Amino acid sequence: MWIINLLAPNQYERSIDVFGGSGTVTLNLACTTANLRVYNDFNGNLVNLMRCARDRPLELIREIGFLALNARDDFEMYKKFIEKEEFSEYDLEEELKLTEIMFEQPKAEELKRLLIKQSEEKDIKRAAAYYKLLRYSFNANADTFGGKKCDVRRFFVDIWNFSRIFRNITIENKDFEALIKQYDREMAFIYCDPPYYDAESFYKNDVPFTKEDHVRLRDVLYEAKGYVMVSYNNVPEILELYQDFYIYYTTRTHSMSKKKGEVYEELIIINYDITKYVNNGSYQMQLFGGFSSVQNEGEYSLLHSPSQQLRGRKKEVSK
């Protein structure tokens, strides 16, 4: 997070966290001028958890309190519950339309209220199960049982704090291309942390992200009006794909590795010249509670400069 704030532009009017994940970037962007903050993720279970924690924290806390999870068998049971296809927002909309067609008022309105209530209850149960899977799994991947002890009472405080902090943040569940095109503006800061190239084994629980998707992401970012930043793994394919952007090299702790102290080589890719934009963040907030210092956390170096700055070229073309 330290390098994101360090290389981010000083001022922008909106931030778009395209692959929001844990929400760390959305929570910790240092710019104070952004009057619109957007969190997005294509993982429907994660987005449902975020929305329930933001909008209905007491109901979520109550459900988590009843939802025991103490051993591997419980973990596997809730994992199966999460993996089962759930009643979607689209399904609910269709049911409501059919209700209006098939029933007269006031019966139609009463049935619609019951359908909405039933859907909301399912959302809360799914959010509670997914939250516990994240908390009890190794590296919060909701896939492998971590076998670590957790204080459920701490969950309640974290969720309540998250609800307060996330209350003014827009939460979306869209494909990255549709989202970027919807929110892109001249004074937007678009941050992307996509699944890393040729690293599918780390993302086996997520929606597949193909090589064509990597190209599609580059293409939509190439046309973006706003400030663009992308985090990627350091591989030749990405270096070649983003030749029209500034590329910085850095390292970070490899959070997905079970080996203590292992580092991961990472690329930070942007479409603007940082000599004009400097932003020094000092702290980062963790999802559902806590702060940690990021001062003097690491080093970075410029790996590649484009022949022409993308943002500058776009302004000249538009004249």
Side-chain angles (χ1 to χ4, degrees), residues 289-307:
F291 290 88
S292 64
S293 174
V294 295
Q295 292 176 332
N296 303 318
E297 186 166 336
E299 298 179 353
Y300 68 98
S301 59
L302 179 62
L303 204 61
H304 169 76
S305 292
S307 58

Side-chain angles (χ1 to χ4, degrees), residues 84-236:
K84 183 179 179 181
E85 185 176 348
E86 291 295 317
F87 192 73
S88 68
E89 290 182 11
Y90 175 79
D91 294 328
L92 176 60
E93 290 176 3
E94 291 300 306
E95 291 286 349
L96 293 175
K97 289 178 183 178
L98 286 173
T99 300
E100 291 181 348
I101 295 172
M102 297 177 65
F103 296 93
E104 297 180 355
Q105 299 296 349
K107 289 183 178 180
E109 286 302 318
E110 180 64 24
L111 288 173
K112 285 168 66 176
R113 283 194 293 270
L114 290 173
L115 283 170
I116 292 171
K117 181 180 179 181
Q118 184 182 41
S119 175
E120 290 175 346
E121 289 174 353
K122 287 184 178 180
D123 288 343
I124 288 292
K125 290 182 181 296
R126 184 159 59 108
Y130 191 66
Y131 180 70
K132 282 207 167 184
L133 282 179
L134 292 176
R135 283 299 196 176
Y136 282 87
S137 60
F138 178 76
N139 276 334
N141 61 10
D143 181 64
T144 307
F145 181 63
K148 55 187 177 182
K149 294 181 179 180
C150 292
D151 184 355
V152 175
R153 292 169 296 181
R154 175 61 187 274
F155 295 175
F156 302 161
V157 176
D158 291 346
I159 290 170
W160 188 256
N161 288 336
F162 174 84
S163 176
R164 175 178 53 82
I165 295 165
F166 237 67
R167 65 184 182 275
N168 294 322
I169 294 175
T170 300
I171 300 176
E172 297 279 16
N173 180 210
K174 296 184 177 182
D175 173 76
F176 65 83
E177 184 174 358
L179 182 92
I180 291 171
K181 289 181 177 179
Q182 177 180 348
Y183 287 102
D184 183 28
R185 300 289 188 279
E186 193 74 30
M187 288 299 291
F189 176 51
I190 303 167
Y191 175 72
C192 299
D193 186 16
Y196 284 174
Y197 191 88
D198 204 23
E200 288 79 8
S201 60
F202 291 140
Y203 304 94
K204 57 185 176 182
N205 285 322
D206 294 336
V207 176
F209 202 84
T210 66
K211 289 179 172 58
E212 289 75 19
D213 287 325
H214 289 289
V215 175
R216 186 163 62 97
L217 176 61
R218 189 282 312 272
D219 290 346
V220 72
L221 293 177
Y222 181 89
E223 299 295 336
K225 301 174 185 176
Y227 302 98
V228 166
M229 180 182 291
V230 193
S231 298
Y232 255 122
N233 52 331
N234 182 19
V235 294

